[in-house]
Amino acid sequence: MHLTTSARRLLRGAAERLRREPMVEKRRGRAVDEIVAWLDEQHLDPGPRLSHAWLRLDRELLAQIDEALMLAGEAPLAVDLGGMSSLEQARHGNREEKGGREKPRAHRVLASLPAGAPRPGIAGDAREVLDLDRRRLDLAAFDALVQVENLDSFYALPGELPALASWARPLLLYRGDRHYGGGFADLALDWVASGGPHLYLGDFDARGVGLALESGATHLLLPPLVFLARHANAEHQPPGQQGYQPALRDHAAGLAEGHPLAGYLELLLGEQRGLRQQWFGDLAALEPVPLS
């Protein structure tokens, strides 16, 4: 058997306290009983440290535990395997903590970049999609962040978007899903500190605009209002999105008179009409609409 995550956590906490105290008492419970069972399997006798109600931990016993872990090829107690990737865990022994390990895509983002040099055997395209570790991105090298909500639209982005002509080096990223969402969310928080524009290209519905606001976006990328007034429909603003509307109504109430966003929100909230990103038509006509 292995020491469980909770048992290791208890022992690490005790080791920290033992730097200042000669002994740490732990009341018998699930984690302590797991430690006692593991000690028995390792032929380590706690002796008088163990009673029906308590396990008393001292530096000598923890040293014995660390030695047994080493002989078993496991990481010492000082190493917290939680939050590490499987590759990082492997460097500390043969124990893998699947439940607490860092997900392989925890820091990954999908970026859409202008096509680079041709690659043999791969047909060229106007843009290429790269799976990147967000920690390797120098955000200072970009002057705008563009968040794309829908994956199919992300893959179909054209080589140039006239709406982004004001920015020399925009960074276009997929907003993410259960695979990539964590990486983008962390990057978006880092981007806020830069103070740069953050544009949201996604569904024109209550949920989409709400997600844009929650993520710290400064602008929406939308077709002209006259186009939306002609093509937006109730089917693309389903009743199931009612829960997102109170926050948008509060936001609309705080807009200055004549704000460019007001007419768009009137379509969503007043007329209950929206339009999904895939129906935006000619992306060359998109315009950046300030959110606040």
Side-chain angles (χ1 to χ4, degrees):
M1 65 179 293
H2 294 289
L3 279 176
T4 64
T5 300
S6 57
R8 287 181 64 94
R9 188 182 303 118
L10 184 151
L11 290 169
R12 278 199 309 276
E16 180 66 27
R17 287 179 57 187
L18 285 170
R19 295 179 181 178
R20 306 178 299 274
E21 307 169 25
M23 182 182 65
V24 174
E25 286 188 339
K26 292 294 182 180
R27 185 179 293 276
R28 294 289 293 264
R30 181 173 180 176
V32 169
D33 287 343
E34 288 169 350
I35 293 169
V36 171
W38 183 86
L39 290 172
D40 183 63
E41 186 176 83
Q42 301 298 318
H43 306 293
L44 294 176
D45 182 9
R49 302 181 184 92
L50 179 64
S51 71
H52 71 283
W54 301 90
L55 174 62
R56 294 174 175 85
L57 299 166
D58 54 30
R59 296 185 187 92
E60 180 184 2
L61 181 58
L62 262 63
Q64 294 175 11
I65 291 173
D66 259 339
E67 183 179 4
L69 288 170
M70 181 188 68
L71 291 173
E74 295 196 30
L77 294 174
V79 175
D80 184 2
L81 297 175
M84 291 184 180
S85 67
S86 292
L87 287 173
E88 290 170 329
Q89 290 182 4
R91 298 187 188 107
H92 294 286
N94 57 25
R95 172 71 184 281
E96 180 183 22
E97 289 193 10
K98 292 187 177 181
R101 71 180 177 185
E102 180 184 81
K103 299 295 188 293
R105 293 189 181 94
H107 300 287
R108 310 303 294 190
V109 292
L110 284 183
S112 177
L113 304 172
R119 293 182 172 89
I122 302 177
D125 204 347
R127 304 190 71 84
E128 59 182 340
V129 174
L130 296 182
D131 178 316
L132 303 171
D133 187 322
R134 68 171 184 85
R135 297 168 296 185
R136 297 178 59 197
L137 286 170
D138 178 10
L139 296 185
F142 304 96
D143 51 6
L145 172 64
V146 182
Q147 174 185 177
V148 184
E149 177 183 347
N150 296 294
L151 188 57
D152 52 356
S153 297
F154 175 78
Y155 284 135
L157 287 172
E160 299 291 338
L161 281 172
L164 303 179
S166 299
W167 298 283
R169 300 178 307 280
L171 175 60
L172 280 67
L173 298 178
Y174 173 45
R175 180 181 184 276
D177 45 27
R178 64 189 180 90
H179 297 301
Y180 286 98
F184 177 83
D186 290 339
L187 184 144
L189 287 175
D190 292 339
W191 183 263
V192 170
S194 76
H198 174 176
L199 299 97
Y200 187 96
L201 175 55
D203 296 339
F204 177 62
D205 56 18
R207 180 176 181 273
V209 178
L211 289 173
L213 288 168
E214 290 173 10
S215 65
T218 59
H219 296 73
L220 299 173
L221 277 176
L222 290 172
L225 184 56
V226 64
F227 176 92
L228 285 174
R230 187 163 59 247
H231 294 281
N233 59 85
E235 185 178 346
H236 288 197
Q237 170 72 319
Q241 294 198 9
Q242 288 290 331
Y244 297 93
Q245 296 196 24
L248 292 187
R249 294 186 187 280
D250 290 343
H251 187 75
L255 295 175
E257 185 176 354
H259 192 284
L261 184 63
Y264 291 91
L265 291 182
E266 174 58 27
L267 281 177
L268 283 181
L269 304 174
E271 302 181 23
Q272 294 295 310
R273 295 194 290 141
L275 193 67
R276 297 192 186 105
Q277 181 181 353
Q278 295 87 342
W279 277 259
F280 281 4
D282 183 10
L283 297 186
L286 294 179
E287 302 172 351
V289 180
L291 275 165
S292 59

